[in-house]
Amino acid sequence: MFFAVPTAALLWFATNKHLAIWGTGDSFIGSQGFWLIIGCFAFVSLFLPKLFPELLGKVWRGIIKGEQWL
């Protein structure tokens, strides 16, 4: 669970960065989106603890591939 908050923050910032570049002027994921991501990570970590490290690994690999591609 320690890595869930930084991962959620990175996803939120990266998504908003790309929305600011390619989206319309009012494209932005607010703080509710950030809390939704944290809530999803918390749900998975509490109820599916064996899946959680695999999920975070896939998210981080996706972030790295996405940033290299863009």
Side-chain angles (χ1 to χ4, degrees), residues 4 7-9 11-12 15 32-42:
T7 303
L11 281 173
W12 186 68
T15 304
Q32 291 177 349
F34 175 71
W35 291 112
L36 178 68
I37 295 169
I38 289 180
C40 290
F41 283 156

Side-chain angles (χ1 to χ4, degrees), residues 5-6 8 10-12 20 25 27 31 33-35 43 47 50 52 56 58 60-61 65 69-70:
V5 174
L10 187 61
L11 281 173
W12 186 68
S27 295
S31 63
F34 175 71
W35 291 112
F43 178 81
F47 295 109
K50 293 186 181 196
F52 185 65
L56 279 183
K58 286 183 179 184
W60 277 100
R61 283 190 295 276
K65 283 183 181 180
W69 182 69
L70 298 171

Side-chain angles (χ1 to χ4, degrees), residues 8-26:
L10 187 61
L11 281 173
W12 186 68
F13 283 127
T15 304
N16 280 328
K17 178 183 88 171
H18 293 297
L19 285 174
I21 293 171
W22 289 310
T24 61
D26 58 347

